[in-house]
Structures are given as C-alpha cells and as structure tokens.
Amino acid sequence: MAEFKRHNKTWVLLTDVDEYITFNTLHPDDDPPVPLDFAPPGTRTLSNWTWHVTGFVKGGVKVDDTQIKGVLSGLPKEGWHGKKNGQDKTTLPLVDGKDAIFYGAYGSVFTDNAGNMWFLRDDFAWRDALDMPPEDIPNNVPIIQDSLLRGGVLHGTVDGEAVEIRTNWRDPSDSQVLSLLVPTTPAEIETLHGGHMLKDVNGKQYYVVRDKMLWPPHLSAKQLTEIRRRLPSVADGATVMDVINREMHALGPEYADETIGPCLCMPRLLYGSREEDRDHPDWKSVAPEGFDEVDFVTLRYRWHSLPDNRVNKYQKTIIDVSRISERDLRGEAGSIHSPVRYWCRDKQPPRYATSFFRVNHYLGSFEAYSYRNDARADKRHCKKCYDEKGTEAIKKMDDDIRPWLKAFVNSVGEEKARALLAGAGDFVHLS
C-alpha cells in the first residue's frame, strides 16, 4: 500500500482470488435487521465491549454461555441499581446465540436470562470521542471551554480567547442529526470526566469541556440504508468507483473524507457449490453468446449463506491510501482483514444491512477448492470440510452479481473481452 501511495494511487482493493466485490443490493425481505444508532428507551448501553463464550456440560450436553463485558454508558445521572456511567459491567448469560453476538453485534439489543436488555454501541464510530479527566489531556491539545455547536461551527473559548472551530461533529439534539437517527430520540450520553476529545475538519484534536457527549462524524444507519437504496444494478455497467465518487460528492468533500473511508470495510458472503439443473425447462443461461457460465463462479453459483453469520468469516477492505499517512503505512499490516488498525474496523466487523459493498466469497467446485496450495492446503484437501462449509452456504439465493459479464462485453467489446478472459475456468496443474 505504501508503494501505491508513492505512485499517487487512491483506492486499493484487498481481496483473494476467490472473492469478488459487488454492490450490496437492498433486499428488504431477505436482509438482516438494520442496526440502531442509539439504545431504545429503557435499554442500557455498553461501550468498549467484548464477548465471552464459556463452554460447560449440562445434563451430558455441551452448552455455551455467552456474556458481554463492557462499560456502562448512557445511564441517567441517578444511575441504575447502584451502578454509574463509566463502571465495568458483565452481563448475565444471554438468551441470543453466540453467532448473533459474533457477527450481528453493534447496534443490536440483546437480552440476558434475567430479562435485562443491553444495547452494544458502535465503538469504531466513537473512537475519537475519548472521554478523559483533565490531567490526562496531552499538553499540546487546546482545551475549549463554554462550548456551543451550531451549523458545523463549535464556538467557545481557549485560555479566555473566543474561538470558532469548523467541525463535522454534531450536537445530538440538532434537528438535522435527529432526522437521520434510528431511533430518532437518542439518550444523551453523560461524559464521565466532564469532557472529551474532538477533531476539526482538518483533523486537529481539541478537548471540549462538556457534560454531554457530542455526536462524532459518521454515517447513520438511515443514511447507509439510503445509499444501498440508490445502488445501481451490475447490469448498468457502473463501477465501484462510480458509486464512491457519487456518494462522496453528495456528502461534500470534508464530511465524506471523515465518513466514507479511507478504509471501507465490507462484509463477506459465502457462496456454496449448489448448482441449478441445466436440463430443467426453466433454466436460462445469463452468459453472453459464446461464453459458458460454468467457467465463471460468479455466474455459476447463486446460493449463499445467511448474512451476518459466523460462516462468512472476516471482513475485507478497500483502502484510499492517498488519505492515509506514510507513517501509518510503514511496516507490516495488522492483518489482511484489518490492515490499518486505526482506520479499519477490527473487533466489531461491519454490519451487512448498512454496507453498500460486499465481497462474494466462492467455495466453488471441489477441484477449485483443493487446487490452491496455500497455508490452508491441509484443509483444502479435506472433502468433509468442504462439504460442511457447503451446507452452510445454501440458505438463500440471489443474482446480484451475475449480469456483470454481459455488461463487461458490452463495455469493451467481444474481441477484447475474450482476450482478457482467456483461460477462465481452467486449472493448470503445476509440477
């Protein structure tokens, strides 16, 4: 990525050979629930949370208990059952299964076995709102007193001098913000130490003295759902960059820089090896004339797993290296799934319902699955492992990506398309 940056490149896609990025088309009847932005009334919020699964044997049967450890946030000033904001809390075992915890967590409400309801905050969105006591404020960070935020300008005083700071942070009571939130009446979150960190439009940090937390710049669930609603069809010939540029233009450059990327994390969706019967009278090829859809996994396989499910494994990313400093790109990446730790999600993967791109991950035929000689070669030659994965990837069906080949041929012409796609579907056995 550092090399791409040195050559003035922008977006870099980090996927594997059996993965294909596509538009995450909205399917209201089949999509998982949209995450909430704030806890519903009467529901307690946990921030900085982690999940813990404990296995034990009960009546001769192995049972997993899932609990969540986090920090209480958003409580009223009087607290709750003797607990106050900022205190650590471990829930009782949850009613929901561990799959829901692992891949459907932030923005969701979970119930423990005593009936208490817990909302899990999106900590990635709030990562800059560091709530700290005055003695921990870095020496070079200005402290803003008497703060008032209106229309993207934070008014206040620094060392007695009046200042105006342009920022994309918002007051939770701002009507413009309220219209974008689900639910539309957020609980005001008390600061633990009387203030929190904040950034201006240029990325400079300030400490703002406030009793209530401000809303950090990020796209709400409603905004992200609307982006999905505007997505073109793959058949239209639009590209990923077309969508990114359109949405960034709509948001405006400053707000887009803080809310779309520079690391866009995308959920994966596992496609299995179930095929349609080509002899069935209703079967119809989607490949252009002269091409065979058997040569393209993106055309051949339609059945996939449930979104936000453990079987889909970890996210993949597309990263705008032009907006990341050379310092952050030095050394080895944290992982292929979260290569630039501050900018990419890590422990809280993206929610499917609010992701406008996704990565289709194809199991393919067993020949294709076992062909690769990589670090997982032992598992790739395990037919039982392959079959077990396949059973999890026949839950739903869609054709979102399948029109791409016709659009590609129409765009570049048949002759060039044949040249570029020569050998697709072939397996060259290396000695």
Side-chain angles (χ1 to χ4, degrees):
M1 288 189 290
E3 186 68 13
F4 283 125
K5 182 177 179 67
R6 282 191 287 270
H7 285 83
N8 298 317
K9 303 299 182 183
T10 54
W11 292 91
V12 178
L13 176 64
L14 300 174
T15 55
D16 214 335
V17 296
D18 54 2
E19 297 172 335
Y20 301 84
I21 185 174
T22 190
F23 307 137
N24 194 22
T25 306
L26 191 67
H27 296 286
D29 294 335
D30 286 334
D31 279 355
V34 175
L36 303 176
D37 294 307
F38 278 96
T43 302
R44 288 158 288 281
T45 296
L46 289 177
S47 60
N48 301 317
W49 50 266
T50 56
W51 53 87
H52 297 266
V53 180
T54 305
F56 61 95
V57 177
K58 183 177 181 180
V61 179
K62 186 177 182 300
V63 178
D64 286 333
D65 266 352
T66 303
Q67 296 171 280
I68 301 176
K69 294 181 180 180
V71 177
L72 285 168
S73 305
L75 294 179
K77 282 187 175 181
E78 61 270 20
W80 168 75
H81 288 266
K83 292 284 188 179
K84 297 284 188 180
N85 286 318
Q87 292 183 302
D88 293 337
K89 174 65 180 177
T90 300
T91 71
L92 296 171
L94 301 178
V95 174
D96 309 82
K98 63 181 181 181
D99 277 348
I101 295 298
F102 194 71
Y103 277 110
Y106 74 80
S108 295
V109 174
F110 296 97
T111 306
D112 65 27
N113 59 18
N116 298 307
M117 294 190 297
W118 304 94
F119 172 78
L120 303 189
R121 186 185 75 170
D122 181 0
D123 289 324
F124 179 79
W126 289 80
R127 67 193 186 282
D128 288 327
L130 299 175
D131 193 340
M132 61 179 64
E135 59 269 22
D136 291 342
I137 303 170
N139 291 331
N140 60 338
V141 173
I143 300 174
I144 299 178
Q145 303 272 0
D146 309 314
S147 62
L148 176 65
L149 184 54
R150 287 179 179 172
V153 177
L154 181 67
H155 304 266
T157 60
V158 175
D159 296 330
E161 295 289 330
V163 295
E164 293 183 354
I165 308 297
R166 290 179 60 234
T167 181
N168 286 314
W169 291 61
R170 296 290 184 265
D171 192 307
S173 61
D174 188 317
S175 59
Q176 183 182 7
V177 173
L178 291 175
S179 68
L180 298 175
L181 301 183
V182 181
T184 56
T185 53
E188 291 189 311
I189 300 177
E190 301 277 343
T191 54
L192 307 180
H193 307 287
H196 65 81
M197 300 295 284
L198 165 148
K199 288 185 178 181
D200 67 11
V201 294
N202 298 312
K204 183 178 179 179
Q205 283 190 316
Y206 297 85
Y207 182 86
V208 55
V209 177
R210 285 181 63 89
D211 291 332
K212 303 288 195 326
M213 298 285 282
L214 292 172
W215 172 261
H218 70 284
L219 298 180
S220 69
K222 183 176 179 180
Q223 288 175 294
L224 290 164
T225 301
E226 288 303 313
I227 291 177
R228 288 188 66 198
R229 205 181 305 279
R230 291 192 294 268
L231 286 172
S233 166
V234 171
D236 297 338
T239 67
V240 167
M241 285 309 305
D242 290 335
V243 171
I244 290 176
N245 290 334
R246 181 191 68 192
E247 297 302 333
M248 292 188 73
H249 177 76
L251 288 169
E254 289 179 350
Y255 196 68
D257 277 350
E258 293 197 64
T259 55
I260 296 185
C263 179
L264 274 179
C265 299
M266 304 170 289
R268 290 199 296 181
L269 193 63
L270 180 65
Y271 281 71
S273 56
R274 177 175 172 178
E275 297 185 65
E276 301 301 305
D277 183 1
R278 293 165 67 101
D279 295 326
H280 193 279
D282 292 334
W283 182 85
K284 184 179 180 181
S285 175
V286 296
E289 186 175 351
F291 292 85
D292 190 342
E293 64 180 36
V294 172
D295 294 332
F296 303 91
V297 293
T298 49
L299 276 62
R300 184 175 177 180
Y301 302 110
R302 307 168 67 193
W303 291 87
H304 58 78
S305 63
L306 295 173
D308 281 345
N309 188 275
R310 182 179 291 268
V311 71
N312 297 307
K313 294 286 181 76
Y314 309 108
Q315 66 193 21
K316 285 300 176 74
T317 59
I318 177 171
I319 297 174
D320 183 359
V321 294
S322 70
R323 287 193 275 152
I324 295 179
S325 69
E326 290 188 8
R327 180 190 60 202
D328 288 339
L329 295 176
R330 289 176 189 156
E332 293 186 1
S335 75
I336 191 63
H337 306 286
S338 184
V340 190
R341 284 292 169 86
Y342 170 80
W343 298 108
C344 300
R345 288 185 174 274
D346 186 14
K347 295 179 180 179
Q348 298 178 16
R351 294 291 301 268
Y352 184 91
T354 48
S355 299
F356 45 96
F357 300 131
R358 73 169 189 255
V359 173
N360 290 359
H361 181 199
Y362 289 87
L363 191 63
S365 66
F366 184 66
E367 180 185 16
Y369 181 78
S370 58
Y371 174 75
R372 292 170 59 190
N373 186 22
D374 57 17
R376 295 162 291 180
D378 290 344
K379 286 189 176 181
R380 288 191 173 278
H381 289 88
C382 170
K383 184 64 163 61
K384 181 182 177 183
C385 304
Y386 171 83
D387 291 339
E388 287 176 351
K389 276 184 131 180
T391 60
E392 293 295 325
I394 53 172
K395 306 296 185 181
K396 290 181 179 290
M397 180 180 70
D398 75 65
D399 293 323
D400 292 348
I401 202 173
R402 297 178 82 216
W404 79 266
L405 184 54
K406 282 186 178 179
F408 180 68
V409 173
N410 290 338
S411 174
V412 303
E414 183 178 344
E415 183 178 351
K416 189 172 184 179
R418 286 188 180 282
L420 292 171
L421 298 172
D426 295 341
F427 296 94
V428 179
H429 292 279
L430 305 175
S431 58

